[in-house]
Structures are given as C-alpha cells and as structure tokens.
Amino acid sequence: MTRITVTIFLALLSFLSHLLILSTQQEQQHPDTVHPNCSIGNGTYTDTSPYHNNLITLLSNFTSNTTDDYGFYNYSYGQNPDTVYASGLCRGDVTPDVCRSCLNNATRLLPHNCSNQKEAFLYYDLCILQYSSSSMFGIYVDPDFSYAFNNPEKAADADQYTDALDRLMKVLKTNAADGGSDRKVAAGNSSTLSSGQTVHGLAQCTPDLTEQQCDDCLVNAISGIPLCCQNKVGGRVIKRNCNLRFEKVQFYNPTVIDPIQVLPPSQGNNFKSRNIIVIIIPIIAVAVFLLLISIFIFLKMKKPKEAIQNSFVEADQLDGEIKHAEIIQFDFDTIKLTTDNFSDSNKLGQGGFGAVYKGELYNGEEVAVKRLSRDSGQGDREFKNEVMLVAKLQHRNLVRLLGFCLERGERLVVYEYLPNKSLDFLLFDPDRSAHLNWATRHQIIVGVARGLLYFHEDSRLRVIHRDLKASNILLDGELNPKISDFGMARLFSADQTQSNTNRIVGTYGYMAPEYVLHGQCSMKLDVYSFGVLILEIISGKKNNSIFNENSYGLLDFAWQNWRQGNGSNIIDPLLINSDSRNEIMRCIHVGLLCVQENAIDRPTMASVGVMLSSHSLSLPVPSKPAFLMNSTSSILKDSSSEATRSSEGRRNYVQASSNEVSITNLSPR
Ligand SMILES: *[C@@H]1O[C@H](CO)[C@@H](O)[C@H](O)[C@H]1NC(C)=O
Ligand SMILES: *[C@@H]1O[C@H](CO)[C@@H](O)[C@H](O)[C@H]1NC(C)=O
Ligand SMILES: *[C@@H]1O[C@H](CO)[C@@H](O)[C@H](O)[C@H]1NC(C)=O
Ligand SMILES: *[C@@H]1O[C@H](CO)[C@@H](O)[C@H](O)[C@H]1NC(C)=O
Ligand SMILES: *[C@@H]1O[C@H](CO)[C@@H](O)[C@H](O)[C@H]1NC(C)=O
Ligand SMILES: *[C@@H]1O[C@H](CO)[C@@H](O)[C@H](O)[C@H]1NC(C)=O
Ligand SMILES: *[C@@H]1O[C@H](CO)[C@@H](O)[C@H](O)[C@H]1NC(C)=O
Ligand SMILES: *[C@@H]1O[C@H](CO)[C@@H](O)[C@H](O)[C@H]1NC(C)=O
C-alpha cells in the first residue's frame, strides 16, 4: 500500500518536474530568435554604394553551391576597396538542407537588421552569418566579441554538474580543434561523479581556423561559461569563429556527429573503448610526433646541406616570396561570374594545362583567366610556382598577373587581358600577318629579348622560361610583346648556371638539343628558343614547316640559304620590299647565332641585346644549328611524334597553333 503511494507520488513528482522543465525551456531563448550584432564597427555604406551592390550580389547566391555540404560557406565578392567578405557556419549536426534554409533566412535578415553597417554578425539557433569589409578567412577575428545565453534552470548538484561540464568541454575543445579543414566540431556527454546527471555539449569552430586558433578560440569561449551560466543546466557562448553550447538534454542530432562520452575519473576502470581511444590516441600521436622530430633532427644534423633536394630549396624560396607578392586572391564564385560560368563564348583558347577564358571584373577591367585542368598533372607546387614567379616578376614585356584562386580543388590564374591574342595567331595566318610590318616585327623581337634579359639577369630571381614560343608571346594594343606562361619556369639560385632537371618541359622544335637529349637546362635553352622565334618572325613560317625534301624544317632551311648567300629566301615575302633589308639580315644572323648546336657558342641574352641595338658591331660567324644531322633529326622526329600522341587532345593557348603541343612529365631517357 505505502509502496504504491510512494510510486504514485514519485511518478507525479516526475511528471511535475517535466512540466517545470518544459515551462523553463519555453522561458529560455526561443530557438529561432535572431541575434544580430550591428555594432562591430568598420563604418557604414549607402544604398547606392558599390559595397551595397556587392553585398546584395554576394548574399543572394550565398548558398547556391549545393555541393558544398559541410556546413561552412565563405565567399567574397567585388573589387577593392568595396570587397565584401562573408562567412556562414551551421551547427555541426544540421543537415545540408536545414543549413541552407537557415543561412538563407540569415542572408535575408542581416542586411535588414543591420542596415548600412559594413560589418555585421548574426546568430541563429542553427547557423551563424557574418560579413565584413576585411577578410576573415583563416583569421581568429575579434577575440573579445562574445554572446552568451543561459538556460535559467539551476543544476541540481551544481558542483558535480560544473565538474562534469569542465571535463566535457576540455575533451570537446581538443576534438573540435583537431577536426581538419572541412569541419571542426565535436559533441558528447559527460556524467557527474555520483548524482547521476548527464551534461550534453557541442563545441565548434569555423573550419578555416588552424588547430591552434580553434583551440584558442574555444579556450576563450569556455572561460566565458562561469560569467553567463554558473550553476545553470545550459548555456551558449558564441564568438565570431567558434561557439559552444551545453544542456542537460541531448539537443543535437547524435546521428550526424558521433558523440564522445566522457566518464567521471573514478570510473576509470570501466572505461569503454571509445574513452580509451580518446586518451590513447593523443598519447600515441605525441610519441610518434616526438619520434619523427628526433628522426628529422637526426637526419638534418647528419646530412650535408647540399644533399637536401633541390626541390626543397625551391619550395622554401617560393614560400618566402608569396608573403611579399601583391596579388589578389579571387574567390571562385567571382571568377565564375566574370567568365559567365566558363562559357564557351568566353573561351580564348586551350593550353596544355587548361583553358583560358576572358572575363570582366566588377570595375570593367578585362582579364584572362587560366583555369587549370584538374588532370593536367600540375600539382599545387607547380601552380604556386607559376603564381609566385609571375607575381614577383614585373616588366613591361611580361604578362602581368593580377591574382589567382585556389579553392576546393579549382586552380585559376588571372592575368591582364591582351586583346590582340598571341603572336602565332597573327604571324602564321596569311591574312593577319599582313598587319605585321617589319617595324612591328622588330619591336616584337626586341621586346621579347628584353623580357628574357630580365628573366636571366635583371630580376632578383634567375629564371629560365623553358617554353618560349610564338604562342606564349601575347601582344598588347600597340602590338608590344609580352611573354606569358611562366608555369614551367624554374628558379635558379644566383650562383647556379646549369642544372640537370628531372623533367622535360617544353615544346619540340623550340627546345635546345642538350635539353631534349640530356635534360640539361641552362639559360642558353631560352636563347635557343629565342633564335627559333626570330627566324619564325622573319620568315613567317613555323619552325616545323616543310620547305622542300632536302630540308628538315626552318632552321635547316635558314642555315642552308644563309650559307649559300641566299639570305633573302628566308625573309617573309611580305617584308621583301622593306627598306630595312640590312636590319632584317642582321636579325637572321643573330637568330642563327642563337640556335647554334653547342650551347657555349650561343650568345647570352645580354649580348643579344647589344647585337640587336648596334648596327656597326661585327657579329661572329654562326656555326651549324642543332638538329641538322640525319641521325639527330630522326631522334627528334621519333620522340616528337610519340610526345604528340601522348598528349593527344591538348591544344594550345590559341587555336591557331593547335598543332604545337606542350609536353610535360616526360622523363629524359
Ligand atoms: C576594419 O578594417 C580594417 C581595414 O579594412 C581592418 O584592418 C580592421 O581589422 C577592421 N576592424 C575590425 C574590427 O574588423
Ligand atoms: C544567382 O543564382 C541564380 C540561379 O542559380 C542565377 O540565375 C543568378 O544569375 C545568380 N546571380 C549571381 C549574381 O550570381
Ligand atoms: C561547389 O562546392 C564544391 C565543394 O565545396 C566544389 O567542388 C564545387 O566546385 C563548387 N561548385 C561550384 C559551381 O562552385
Ligand atoms: C527559415 O524561415 C522560414 C520562414 O520564416 C521558416 O519556416 C524556416 O524554419 C526557417 N529555417 C530555419 C532553418 O530556421
Ligand atoms: C531583425 O529583423 C527581423 C525581421 O524584420 C525582426 O523580426 C527582428 O525583430 C529583428 N531583430 C532585431 C534584433 O532587430
Ligand atoms: C557587438 O559586438 C561589439 C564588438 O564585438 C560589442 O562591443 C557589442 O557589445 C556587441 N553588441 C551586442 C548588442 O551584443
Ligand atoms: C574560404 O576558406 C578557406 C579556408 O577554409 C580559404 O582557403 C578560402 O580562401 C576561403 N574562401 C575565400 C573566398 O577566400
Ligand atoms: C552519452 O553518449 C554515449 C556515446 O554516444 C551514449 O552511448 C550514451 O547513451 C550517452 N548518454 C546519455 C545519457 O545520453
């Protein structure tokens, strides 16, 4: 009888307490309450300003990439100084659909709630949205910023509850920080020592933070718990880059985030495998890490400096460079917009590494966007190589690099746009080449020579282009030449003049014999290619053109005619009536000096510059160009056809030169 009464009484009590909990839960923050903060700072905009337009454009399509499903969106839009940066983070356990719905609500509300504020932040139950006029990506922004809410219900055994919460938050912090570059979130529960309560928690950082930044941010957030939520069963601390929440009920969806269970210390013997793993993995990780460090130090002390691979030296130098290079990092969506989603009508051409598109930036500036194909075999390192070299090298005869984009596997390089396309487009077309009179062609030869001289001697880095050819010479509105496509250029430290490369990169017909046959790479390689280019510019013929059954292409044809005193046969008929015949013949002479078989005989670009500018200096007699012997020619022809086959489907920058092929990844035999 009494037992039944007690049971009924207990049931009633439990029912009442549930009612109480429900009512207090209703008293706490309504889940959909919007918490905007419009007073972060950094000024205001007007409704007619570019910033306003950029903001609207950016937010209107903020979640349109439906393949981005890890709950973090960060984009920017617009040109300096009106660029808008925005990022959205969903709670780690929400599904992509709910996440987009939440962020869509947020993108509608925030500019409205914080009208005309350049920088604003909004916290929803399930997502956070913020935008700013300065970049936030990878930055632990505004450590003092903090929102905190509590669930007003008091914890039954506050000391034990707080203790369980502390243990939980330490574990969640470490696990969230450890979460990789897509997601940094952890959830779990922790039980009190003896009062049988459980606290559930979730901690999260924006995934663009480093592990250390995330850890710092969460330490900061955790330190806010006593201020807002001392002795309360629940609370939330929200910072710009991280947030945490705890409740006595499981408020998150445990099927999306695998919860971590933290047991009180006295139950150490009953540790389940998960907890053991939680503890043992870091121990093993630390041990392995220490071991690796010692091995590394040991090897480093043992190995002489020269033994460190060349590639490391290069990488280090590159890393040092990008810090100083002033280039814009575009976001993928901006580029997509400017190129009309990489439409065919915007396509300028297709190179060995990918297609080139024309785009127009917000400010009306026209750009050429090179979208590197994912299967191009060009790794992150080559990409950075290109970006950093071009950004660093600035000269009027080099194509200017404006920026790049490296985002979710996409690699894009943004160059200035040159309306007259590439030299081969004009030179090898009978109609278009009529626009290239001798004065123009001479200007192109001299300009390319200046660009190369800059590469070889004047720039702080010594650079070998390695793939100089007509399709890599772009022309500006005044037909000034600008050398492009530095992707394959290699860095040279100041005291090095020659290195054996482990990769052949270049285009047959323009490549010097020592490079094709032995992989030897020196500045004389570019001199050789330049010589081929001079002869092409003067003759209007491609180096692989067939002239007659007795010649093996342009070099052979030029050499034979030159030796027989028939130099004018080499000259493009369009130039024959030019009154600059002497100057043309002198350029042929220089061209033949550049393509001499023996690299040592070829002049440096500095001497080429002197030879081209002086009319009186007497020039040495050229020796035989490379690739005239039947044997060498057949080697060339064999490897050339093989290479063409292996890179089938690749076409060059401009369609006019589709039969020239850039070759990479071809190891010298
Ligand atoms: C305001 O903008 C400037 C430059 O744009 C930036 O350096 C600064 O950190 C920003 N301030 C805040 C509070 O974001
Ligand atoms: C936004 O997306 C819609 C549909 O995907 C598209 O029609 C529109 O052009 C996009 N606008 C911007 C500014 O990207
Ligand atoms: C969308 O995002 C995914 C992954 O984040 C990325 O691979 C894809 O290229 C993006 N698509 C567009 C159209 O931006
Ligand atoms: C977004 O707003 C709509 C309408 O106000 C609402 O039905 C929906 O639940 C909201 N989504 C989220 C995730 O809050
Ligand atoms: C934000 O805007 C929404 C919709 O207009 C409004 O309901 C809400 O009260 C606003 N919140 C604040 C804090 O201004
Ligand atoms: C908004 O953020 C600023 C700076 O972080 C802070 O000083 C201010 O108190 C916050 N405002 C509100 C309403 O929370
Ligand atoms: C988004 O964040 C990633 C790091 O998580 C960063 O690499 C990327 O540049 C950011 N996006 C934009 C548009 O800057
Ligand atoms: C705590 O998390 C563990 C692991 O997911 C789960 O098995 C357990 O049921 C949770 N405890 C409570 C009280 O929800």
Side-chain angles (χ1 to χ4, degrees), residues 36-40 142 144-147:
N37 183 329
C38 313
S39 42
I40 302 175
D142 211 355
D144 294 336
F145 177 99
S146 187
Y147 269 135

Side-chain angles (χ1 to χ4, degrees), residues 530-541:
F530 178 68
V532 175
L533 192 69
I534 292 188
L535 295 174
E536 287 186 331
I537 290 174
I538 292 173
S539 66
K541 300 276 193 307

Side-chain angles (χ1 to χ4, degrees), residues 377-395:
Q378 191 185 35
D380 276 349
R381 180 157 158 266
E382 280 98 336
F383 174 70
K384 284 191 171 176
N385 191 351
E386 175 160 19
V387 167
M388 289 179 270
L389 277 175
V390 182
K392 200 77 203 166
L393 301 170
Q394 301 200 359
H395 186 270

Side-chain angles (χ1 to χ4, degrees), residues 36 109 112-113:
L109 285 180
H112 177 78
N113 282 135

Side-chain angles (χ1 to χ4, degrees), residues 326-397:
E326 279 185 30
I327 45 178
I328 306 167
Q329 181 163 3
F330 292 93
D331 76 306
F332 185 68
D333 289 18
T334 305
I335 306 278
K336 220 171 80 179
L337 206 66
T338 73
T339 58
D340 194 15
N341 200 5
F342 304 103
S343 69
D344 276 350
S345 59
N346 280 39
K347 196 162 170 176
L348 293 171
Q350 174 87 38
F353 285 137
V356 181
Y357 299 87
K358 185 182 172 183
E360 192 175 321
L361 296 182
Y362 177 79
N363 60 7
E365 186 177 0
E366 290 180 319
V367 294
V369 177
K370 183 170 180 179
R371 187 187 200 182
L372 301 170
S373 42
R374 286 160 193 244
D375 58 347
S376 67
Q378 191 185 35
D380 276 349
R381 180 157 158 266
E382 280 98 336
F383 174 70
K384 284 191 171 176
N385 191 351
E386 175 160 19
V387 167
M388 289 179 270
L389 277 175
V390 182
K392 200 77 203 166
L393 301 170
Q394 301 200 359
H395 186 270
R396 61 187 295 259
N397 294 114

Side-chain angles (χ1 to χ4, degrees), residues 331-626:
D331 76 306
F332 185 68
D333 289 18
T334 305
I335 306 278
K336 220 171 80 179
L337 206 66
T338 73
T339 58
D340 194 15
N341 200 5
F342 304 103
S343 69
D344 276 350
S345 59
N346 280 39
K347 196 162 170 176
L348 293 171
Q350 174 87 38
F353 285 137
V356 181
Y357 299 87
K358 185 182 172 183
E360 192 175 321
L361 296 182
Y362 177 79
N363 60 7
E365 186 177 0
E366 290 180 319
V367 294
V369 177
K370 183 170 180 179
R371 187 187 200 182
L372 301 170
S373 42
R374 286 160 193 244
D375 58 347
S376 67
Q378 191 185 35
D380 276 349
R381 180 157 158 266
E382 280 98 336
F383 174 70
K384 284 191 171 176
N385 191 351
E386 175 160 19
V387 167
M388 289 179 270
L389 277 175
V390 182
K392 200 77 203 166
L393 301 170
Q394 301 200 359
H395 186 270
R396 61 187 295 259
N397 294 114
L398 306 189
V399 170
R400 200 157 48 90
L401 177 130
L402 304 172
F404 71 103
C405 168
L406 180 54
E407 192 175 321
R408 286 167 292 179
E410 287 282 356
R411 300 205 200 102
L412 309 163
V413 191
V414 182
Y415 297 101
E416 67 180 317
Y417 174 71
L418 296 164
N420 284 315
K421 302 204 175 178
S422 59
L423 176 59
D424 65 332
F425 181 75
L426 296 181
L427 188 62
F428 302 134
D429 179 283
D431 295 332
R432 290 188 282 256
S433 61
H435 298 294
L436 296 175
N437 61 18
W438 173 247
T440 307
R441 294 189 199 204
H442 187 251
Q443 163 184 314
I444 293 171
I445 291 173
V446 170
V448 173
R450 287 198 182 122
L452 280 181
L453 180 61
Y454 173 76
F455 274 148
H456 290 179
E457 298 191 6
D458 295 343
S459 71
R460 275 179 299 152
L461 313 159
R462 291 196 165 192
V463 176
I464 299 177
H465 186 293
R466 294 213 286 178
D467 198 19
L468 187 76
K469 57 182 171 184
S471 60
N472 277 339
I473 309 297
L474 305 187
L475 300 169
D476 72 6
E478 279 90 48
L479 297 177
N480 287 308
K482 288 174 187 268
I483 304 174
S484 81
D485 221 2
F486 303 72
M488 291 161 279
R490 285 190 79 127
L491 279 180
F492 252 55
S493 54
D495 54 355
Q496 257 178 309
T497 52
Q498 196 173 64
S499 83
N500 283 327
T501 60
N502 54 4
R503 264 178 75 171
I504 293 276
V505 179
T507 303
Y508 282 113
Y510 289 94
M511 284 192 289
E514 73 274 10
Y515 184 57
V516 177
L517 299 175
H518 310 295
Q520 283 171 359
C521 181
S522 73
M523 290 170 196
K524 296 295 179 70
L525 198 64
D526 287 344
V527 173
Y528 181 90
S529 309
F530 178 68
V532 175
L533 192 69
I534 292 188
L535 295 174
E536 287 186 331
I537 290 174
I538 292 173
S539 66
K541 300 276 193 307
K542 288 186 188 177
N543 65 60
N544 56 359
S545 306
I546 307 293
F547 292 83
N548 58 53
E549 65 276 18
N550 297 326
S551 79
Y552 293 98
L554 177 60
L555 299 195
D556 195 6
F557 176 80
W559 170 247
Q560 287 182 18
N561 279 289
W562 175 264
R563 267 208 320 187
Q564 292 155 14
N566 298 329
S568 34
N569 287 351
I570 304 167
I571 303 174
D572 189 337
L574 289 167
L575 304 177
I576 279 295
N577 295 326
S578 158
D579 46 35
S580 316
R581 196 173 172 280
N582 286 345
E583 198 176 38
I584 298 178
M585 295 308 279
R586 194 175 171 85
C587 281
I588 295 176
H589 194 156
V590 173
L592 286 170
L593 287 172
C594 290
V595 295
Q596 293 176 96
E597 181 156 31
N598 193 345
I600 294 167
D601 296 340
R602 293 174 214 149
T604 62
M605 281 319 293
S607 344
V608 168
V610 174
M611 293 178 194
L612 287 176
S613 58
S614 145
H615 293 272
S616 51
L617 190 77
S618 69
L619 304 180
V621 176
S623 63
K624 181 172 64 70

Side-chain angles (χ1 to χ4, degrees), residues 263-280:
L263 296 178
S266 67
Q267 293 182 4
N269 298 340
N270 301 338
F271 266 19
K272 292 183 187 150
S273 59
R274 178 155 196 127
N275 304 80
I276 295 176
I277 287 169
V278 161
I279 290 175
I280 282 193

Side-chain angles (χ1 to χ4, degrees), residues 40 42 119 132-134 141-142 240:
I40 302 175
N42 260 355
E119 194 157 13
S132 169
S133 56
S134 48
V141 200
D142 211 355
R240 296 276 295 271

